Amino acid sequence: RSKARNQAFNHADVDALTILFLDVIKRIDIKLWGNFYQINENGLFWYGGIQDVYLSWVKGKIFVDPENVLMEAARVGMSATVVDLVEQGKVNVNAQDGNDRTAIMHAARGAHLNILKYLLSKSNPKEVASSLDSEGVSTLMFASHSGCVECIKLLLRLPGTNVNQQTISAIMYDNIVVGKGLTALGIACYRGHADCVQELLKVDEINVNCENIDGFSPLFLATRHPEVVRILFDHPEVDV
């Protein structure tokens, strides 16, 4: 291990890093020191070193890429790591992963309000409002998914936010495929996030009856959640 450690820190050798890191993974129950930030359900997560090596171990894969680390940090709620990476100028906060998702989207999906606020302060608000992932899901939709009403309030204040944006792909929820065309309101209704539904209904231009490709309206999507149904019934434009 000493040889691998020396190789990793002196030469930033990826193979040596992999050997060393997987050795640590096998010893997951020992107390870790140094620059290890967190052990989560996906594995270990680390950044630092003499040569500014950034490394994220996720489901058996090694990433020596600071922007991948940023994505993971935003996803799991590691605010100190997010701030460190951004303030050191090592990452583009608008970088996208393989699904065209940004760190801001990951923060919203994880309901990490403080990280979302910080990343928004470092971003162009109009770009954030208009950005969509490969399935046509916006940052606002991710906040609706997570049920973070404070995230929704923050995102609704961004210029150019389209509250009626619809997904372009079907989405899997609880092993059920929901057809494309969902809005932030439809997602909140389906997930049963009553406080999020109330907040979205405050927006003047909200289309409370917007249907997805299967003809499912927000009211139909809310039928498993009586409290959400009652909130929708109180809206003057809802089509019963």
Side-chain angles (χ1 to χ4, degrees), residues 149-166:
V149 68
E150 293 302 320
C151 293
I152 286 177
K153 290 178 181 178
L154 186 63
L155 293 167
L156 285 175
R157 292 199 291 267
L158 298 181
T161 294
N162 179 4
V163 72
N164 296 315
Q165 176 71 45
Q166 293 177 276

Side-chain angles (χ1 to χ4, degrees), residues 12 14 17 21 37 45-49 51-57 62-70 81 84-91:
V14 175
L17 276 169
F21 211 65
Y37 276 87
F45 185 65
W46 176 83
Y47 99 100
Q51 305 245 343
D52 285 331
V53 176
Y54 296 80
L55 189 141
S56 177
W57 186 90
I62 296 288
F63 298 104
V64 184
D65 182 346
E67 287 171 354
N68 280 327
V69 177
L70 176 68
T81 303
D84 284 350
L85 288 169
V86 175
E87 294 302 323
Q88 289 179 27
K90 300 291 185 180
V91 293

Side-chain angles (χ1 to χ4, degrees), residues 1 5 18-30 32 36 39 44:
R1 294 212 316 279
R5 185 182 294 108
T18 303
I19 293 167
L20 174 61
F21 211 65
L22 293 181
D23 181 65
V24 175
I25 292 296
K26 293 174 184 176
R27 301 163 186 269
I28 202 84
D29 57 335
I30 67 172
L32 297 173
F36 290 100
I39 302 171
L44 265 176

Side-chain angles (χ1 to χ4, degrees), residues 6 15 30 49 65-66 68 72 85 119 159 178 180 213 236-237:
N6 289 336
D15 290 335
I30 67 172
D65 182 346
N68 280 327
E72 178 71 355
L85 288 169
L119 290 174
V178 183
K180 65 182 181 181
I213 193 172
E237 295 179 11

